[in-house]
Amino acid sequence: MSSDEPEGVRPYPGPAGGWGALRAVARAVREQMGFSTQTRALLQMNQPDGFDCPGCAWPDPKHTSSFEFCENGAKAVTWEATAKRVDPDFFARHSVSELWGWSDYALEDAGRLTTPLRYDAATDHFVPIGWDDAFARIGAAMQAMDHPDRMEFYASGRASNEAAFLYQLLARAYGTNNFPDCSNMCHEATSVGLPQSIGVGKGTVTLEDFEHADAVFCIGHNPGTNHPRMLGTLREVSRRGAPIIVVNPLRERGLERFQDPQEPVEMTILGSTPLASAYHLVRIGGDAAVFKGMMKALLEADAVSLGTGGDGLLDRAFIAEHTTGLEALAADIANTGWDDIERRSGLSRAAIESMATVYWQSERVIVCYGMGLTQHRHGTENVQQLANLMLLRGNIGKPGAGICPLRGHSNVQGDRTVGITEIPTEAFLARLDKAFGITSPRKHGHNAVEAVEAMRDGDAKGFIGLGGNLAAAMSDPDATFAAFRKLDLNVQICTKLNRTCLLVAKESIVLPCLGRTELDVQAEGPQAVTVEDSMSMVHASRGRLKPASPELRSEPSIIAGIAKAALPSVRVDWDALVANYDRIRDKIEEVFPDFHDFNRRVRPKGGFRLRVGASNREWDTPDGKAHFLVFSGTDEDEGKDDSPLTLATIRSHDQYNTTIYGLNDRYRGVTGRRDVVFVNAEDLAGLGLKHGDRIDVVAGPGRVLSGQTAIAHTISKGSVAAYYPEANCLIALGDHDKRSGTPSYKSTPVTLRPAAPA
Ligand SMILES: Nc1nc2c(c(=O)[nH]1)N[C@H]1C(S)=C(S)[C@@H](COP(=O)(O)OP(=O)(O)OC[C@H]3O[C@@H](n4cnc5c(=O)[nH]c(N)nc54)[C@H](O)[C@@H]3O)O[C@H]1N2
Ligand SMILES: Nc1nc2c(c(=O)[nH]1)N[C@H]1C(S)=C(S)[C@@H](COP(=O)(O)OP(=O)(O)OC[C@H]3O[C@@H](n4cnc5c(=O)[nH]c(N)nc54)[C@H](O)[C@@H]3O)O[C@H]1N2
Ligand SMILES: [Mo]
């Protein structure tokens, strides 16, 4: 290590994966589980008869055991299957005020919850409470609300289809569509943007399409950390010689080189496979400019081809048969100047033309994308410009081509499919009402930002969290924490203690639930749940481990318990549904025709794929066509990127959203700390700062992240990155995509200044 490197900072020389990943798996098992007999059961992960990995939503059709090989899957699983416990004794020792001072890492690392808890304001401690008492208190508080819209029903994307379906039934039978959920902070721009373009808010590809793609574009996502099993797929693409083009402000090792731990030869000769064939360091917030630039280059090259007697480069037959709106799009692209495109994207015209050339020289193209596209003020339009680009050459609905949004939580897509949405359609509500003999409310409800605003303004008084940690995940902790503290009721259904549990209300109850890995036995025997991955594949998941405590209940059974207490007059046989989840699946099938024959089709290994119209060139839009949509200009952050520096919040290699597993970010060369900010070396020098300086990041009055260490990193000029959730204090609650409500976590204008002496 060179002597002037800051502590814990040293460039990482190796490929992604490799022995580093295997060592990390071993460490995760040792630190969380010791030498318990449970560890062998972990090898059931993603086995035909085992449980679905809670780590990410990347598909795994071969169902080969990836526990030993997927480092971050192993971290997710060992974190849940930990031998550590927070039991009544723990809560007797530590007051809530004391726990509030603990870090997010320490709170969750303390272990699994073992018993229902109620906050006792007189002593400032959580105290154990029986399940029936807990349900009765929640039911009474819900009944005391003067309107059903006073309640917010939050969900995080780990909940199974069965739990999510019962949860939306509970809320709608109660009388509200207030469903803030993690998706609102994640791929909402996809869920809102793509239906207008192509009639469905999901990805259009299957894993098999990657075997046939002539080129793959990876835009604004970091698979080495967040979707590690995808590296195996990209490796195959690269080995076939198909180009992989990356657009990302940071150089991410997981997009550059991969050593596959499942490949003995690669491992023993220390070889690795290069991934990206071209890596474009775009400016944060420059993607709309990149897409429009690629379309401009394509349209220009198309005109040249036609002018010289060629057939042109657009798929004209596809466009004529399947789309509308090309003229308006072409006019807008013609109006968008190269100088504007270059300035916003931070990339040269030549670089963008080179991407366009790969694009049109390839018959079949897949574009993958993540939070780098969606978490902007115009995230929705960003996604739509990407769809335009794909439609120009008919790259949707043919083998080897399509759009591939990298979903977040392992079942976030499934939760949406089975009704967790604040903007339900009439057709769905009508079927739900018929299936259960209820009358669902028609008024649309709150998304995540709106829910916190309603709590802040006193319009919402009760909150139930089906998993997740909304208070820590949302922007603007000052505003968000204050909003939670005003509640009458805060109920958290979770596996571990987190910050949202500690924001106590008049009545605060924590209900500990089974995790994905654990055996779930109900009145009629052991149960399986189902989940839907990023590619619309639905399959079963069965936990095998002994539950962390005999008192834990499953999410469906907890939801049923709340429902029975809160809604005594609603005539749903909750007990029968929970006794055998087949009955919940029968009801899902009744409400959602796409799940026809659900129980039979989900039994075989691998499950089945839900219909995605666009994959078959069936466009579920009002006029049955795919739409080219115009986004004027290139400013995807509305004036914000006129600021010299723009900050994106990102995930380290040792975290799962607000869950911090450890303090290393191996591929970015950071060890034992998270108080770092990645900056371009020229930008640092321009500010008179050096690599290793202590700095404050300032986003506006009262919005300061202080005492960070500046790291000179391979990041585009004008771009700065820091870790989420620490940097959430820089982002205002009102700063979000107006169309989808997605907070613009990836585009905060900031300035850097030397930190005040400690
Ligand atoms: N181990 C692990 N796995 C996870 C998660 C986790 O926290 N840990 N989280 C899960 C969830 S909920 C989600 S949503 C996904 C998140 O998966 P990703 O989308 O990969 O997550 P991020 O780390 O937020 O950011 C992704 C990338 O966007 C780039 N970026 C930032 N701004 C821009 C921009 O303006 N343009 C472009 N082109 N790129 C930009 C960053 O450099 C970074 O490489 O992963 C899921 N899987
Ligand atoms: N600045 C910034 N903020 C962001 C983002 C960003 O990129 N930058 N990303 C956003 C994104 S993409 C997302 S998805 C959100 C994530 O927001 P959330 O989904 O709300 O947060 P998580 O950190 O995933 O939730 C962790 C908690 O879930 C509970 N849990 C874990 N497993 C289970 C289970 O099986 N059942 C139940 N009931 N509970 C369980 C545990 O108690 C744990 O504390 O954050 C968003 N916030
Ligand atoms: Mo997410």
Side-chain angles (χ1 to χ4, degrees):
M1 192 203 296
S2 107
S3 56
D4 45 52
E5 285 289 5
E7 194 182 329
V9 176
R10 175 169 34 169
Y12 174 76
W19 291 102
L22 294 189
R23 273 194 295 273
V25 171
R27 194 179 329 116
V29 172
R30 193 176 62 241
E31 288 179 2
Q32 292 301 324
M33 304 186 63
F35 295 98
S36 89
T37 49
Q38 300 259 68
T39 45
R40 275 195 32 232
L42 295 180
L43 302 177
Q44 290 288 330
M45 182 165 92
N46 292 348
Q47 290 288 327
D49 214 23
F51 60 92
D52 180 68
C53 179
C56 74
W58 189 255
D60 197 6
K62 291 183 194 135
H63 283 265
T64 49
S65 167
S66 39
F67 177 82
E68 308 100 298
F69 302 115
C70 177
E71 171 186 353
N72 281 353
K75 284 184 204 156
V77 166
T78 54
W79 195 254
E80 177 174 303
T82 179
K84 304 179 191 179
R85 299 287 179 271
V86 287
D87 53 15
D89 233 32
F90 171 93
F91 289 102
R93 284 199 308 277
H94 306 289
S95 71
V96 167
S97 307
E98 183 207 328
L99 290 170
W100 181 258
W102 290 25
S103 68
D104 294 319
Y105 167 73
L107 286 176
E108 281 208 32
D109 188 47
R112 287 286 298 277
L113 293 155
T114 62
T115 176
L117 301 163
R118 179 180 71 83
Y119 178 65
D120 176 26
T123 60
D124 188 34
H125 282 260
F126 273 113
V127 292
I129 179 180
W131 280 101
D132 288 343
D133 194 5
F135 291 144
R137 282 170 179 274
I138 296 167
M142 284 172 66
Q143 286 170 353
M145 300 285 163
D146 65 5
H147 191 281
D149 286 339
R150 299 279 176 263
M151 285 292 303
E152 302 289 349
F153 291 84
Y154 180 68
S156 169
R158 271 200 200 189
S160 62
N161 290 332
E162 292 73 10
F165 182 74
L166 279 197
Y167 193 57
Q168 64 80 36
L169 176 63
L170 159 68
R172 294 197 165 104
Y174 177 71
T176 187
N177 284 308
N178 283 346
F179 287 108
D181 86 307
C182 72
S183 198
N184 296 140
M185 298 176 278
C186 183
H187 262 294
E188 197 63 45
T190 301
S191 306
V192 170
L194 281 188
Q196 294 171 352
S197 293
I198 60 168
V200 61
K202 300 181 179 186
T204 68
V205 298
T206 64
L207 208 46
E208 208 194 322
D209 285 317
F210 282 83
E211 293 168 21
H212 307 290
D214 299 315
V216 173
F217 285 70
C218 291
I219 304 188
H221 70 106
N222 181 22
T225 290
N226 298 319
H227 305 90
R229 283 179 290 122
M230 183 189 190
L231 296 192
T233 306
L234 290 178
R235 177 178 178 274
E236 293 310 309
V237 171
S238 162
R239 296 205 144 196
R240 282 196 292 110
I244 297 175
I245 310 293
V246 173
V247 180
N248 195 310
L250 269 87
R251 203 172 267 291
E252 305 283 25
R253 183 50 43 90
L255 285 159
E256 292 186 305
R257 261 182 300 140
F258 177 47
Q259 185 178 42
D260 189 342
Q262 304 206 55
E263 283 294 319
V265 176
E266 219 167 57
M267 290 294 281
T268 44
I269 62 168
L270 293 182
S272 65
T273 305
L275 299 178
S277 48
Y279 204 120
H280 299 277
L281 294 175
V282 68
R283 256 196 83 166
I284 287 172
D287 302 281
V290 169
F291 296 136
K292 291 184 78 170
M294 286 177 70
M295 288 191 274
K296 194 172 177 70
L298 173 62
L299 292 170
E300 285 170 359
D302 176 66
V304 171
S305 162
L306 291 178
T308 52
D311 294 335
L313 301 175
L314 307 186
D315 186 340
R316 292 197 153 71
F318 171 84
I319 291 172
E321 186 184 343
H322 291 287
T323 71
T324 65
L326 178 58
E327 250 174 66
L329 175 74
D332 174 62
I333 299 290
N335 266 331
T336 312
W338 276 111
D339 47 348
D340 195 22
I341 292 170
E342 288 189 314
R343 188 170 55 85
R344 292 268 184 220
S345 67
L347 300 175
S348 67
R349 174 173 176 174
I352 293 175
E353 283 173 343
S354 77
M355 283 190 251
T357 306
V358 172
Y359 179 71
W360 60 256
Q361 286 182 341
S362 307
E363 221 11 75
R364 292 160 294 210
V365 176
I366 294 177
V367 178
C368 311
Y369 69 94
M371 298 298 100
L373 274 202
T374 60
Q375 293 175 335
H376 291 275
R377 278 209 179 164
H378 287 291
T380 301
E381 285 88 346
N382 240 346
V383 171
Q384 292 178 339
Q385 294 310 299
L386 164 58
N388 287 342
L389 177 67
M390 300 301 271
L391 291 172
L392 284 174
R393 286 186 41 84
N395 268 314
I396 298 185
K398 69 180 177 191
I403 296 191
C404 178
L406 276 306
R407 287 281 166 174
H409 274 292
S410 49
N411 196 41
V412 60
Q413 186 162 316
D415 291 353
R416 257 303 145 76
T417 303
V418 300
I420 301 286
T421 171
E422 72 280 9
I423 44 173
T425 62
E426 174 54 36
F428 153 59
L429 293 178
R431 286 193 303 265
L432 183 70
D433 288 357
K434 184 153 172 273
F436 289 99
I438 60 170
T439 308
S440 300
R442 264 44 187 181
K443 188 176 147 230
H444 284 175
H446 295 149
N447 63 23
V449 169
E450 289 162 350
V452 175
E453 287 171 345
M455 286 154 57
R456 176 197 63 194
D457 299 340
D459 293 333
K461 301 302 271 174
F463 182 95
I464 301 183
L466 178 62
N469 186 10
L470 177 63
M474 182 49 77
S475 5
D476 212 336
D478 279 355
T480 301
F481 294 172
F484 268 92
R485 289 207 158 97
K486 290 174 74 176
L487 293 176
D488 291 339
L489 175 70
N490 179 7
V491 180
Q492 298 298 325
I493 302 168
C494 50
T495 50
K496 289 196 164 183
L497 191 61
N498 62 37
R499 202 150 298 278
T500 310
C501 304
L502 300 178
L503 286 161
V504 288
K506 285 201 190 110
E507 180 82 86
S508 297
I509 291 180
V510 175
L511 302 174
C513 66
L514 294 171
R516 197 65 81 66
T517 55
E518 289 165 321
L519 194 61
D520 178 357
V521 182
Q522 299 298 337
E524 294 180 22
Q527 302 297 315
V529 293
T530 62
V531 293
E532 174 185 344
D533 67 28
S534 256
M535 296 181 186
S536 305
M537 298 294 303
V538 179
H539 56 89
S541 170
R542 277 179 198 80
R544 290 299 162 107
L545 301 191
K546 189 170 150 230
S549 147
E551 284 202 61
L552 301 187
R553 294 201 180 170
S554 76
E555 290 172 334
S557 109
I558 294 171
I559 294 160
I562 295 175
K564 287 197 305 183
L567 308 170
S569 57
V570 169
R571 299 174 62 84
V572 170
D573 191 346
W574 302 96
D575 288 334
L577 290 169
V578 172
N580 184 340
Y581 299 171
D582 278 355
R583 290 196 194 100
I584 306 180
R585 286 184 283 272
D586 284 341
K587 284 291 182 187
I588 292 178
E589 171 174 346
E590 213 175 310
V591 177
F592 300 100
D594 284 352
F595 282 91
H596 61 89
D597 229 356
F598 191 5
N599 276 308
R600 186 188 60 76
R601 287 197 296 158
V602 83
R603 289 259 183 313
K605 156 181 164 184
F608 62 92
R609 183 160 191 251
L610 286 171
R611 173 181 174 273
V612 176
S615 300
N616 312 318
R617 298 193 166 175
E618 295 157 10
W619 317 101
D620 298 331
T621 54
D623 60 1
K625 298 275 186 192
H627 292 243
F628 288 106
L629 297 169
V630 170
F631 170 56
S632 305
T634 52
D635 186 359
E636 68 181 64
D637 287 302
E638 264 181 26
K640 289 203 301 185
D641 58 5
D642 290 335
S643 149
L645 294 179
T646 307
L647 173 127
T649 54
I650 54 173
R651 294 158 165 80
S652 81
H653 195 60
D654 269 6
Q655 84 181 73
Y656 195 94
N657 300 337
T658 69
T659 295
I660 313 298
Y661 304 126
L663 301 179
N664 301 343
D665 193 4
R666 192 166 72 247
Y667 301 147
R668 298 193 188 109
V670 179
T671 308
R673 59 192 303 183
R674 290 175 56 84
D675 56 345
V676 296
V677 176
F678 302 98
V679 194
N680 176 286
E682 280 180 49
D683 286 332
L684 268 186
L687 291 164
L689 295 167
K690 292 189 315 297
H691 181 55
D693 277 359
R694 282 189 73 245
I695 58 163
D696 294 341
V697 185
V698 185
R703 293 194 196 288
V704 181
L705 180 65
S706 48
Q708 305 292 299
T709 293
I711 308 271
H713 196 75
T714 312
I715 181 170
S716 56
K717 252 189 125 248
S719 302
V720 177
Y723 297 128
Y724 137 63
E726 289 86 340
N728 286 23
C729 62
L730 296 169
I731 306 160
L733 192 57
D735 197 357
H736 54 78
D737 179 4
K738 291 290 173 284
R739 287 176 64 187
S740 72
T742 315
S744 34
Y745 295 123
K746 299 276 191 274
S747 51
T748 306
V750 293
T751 53
L752 309 180
R753 66 176 187 214

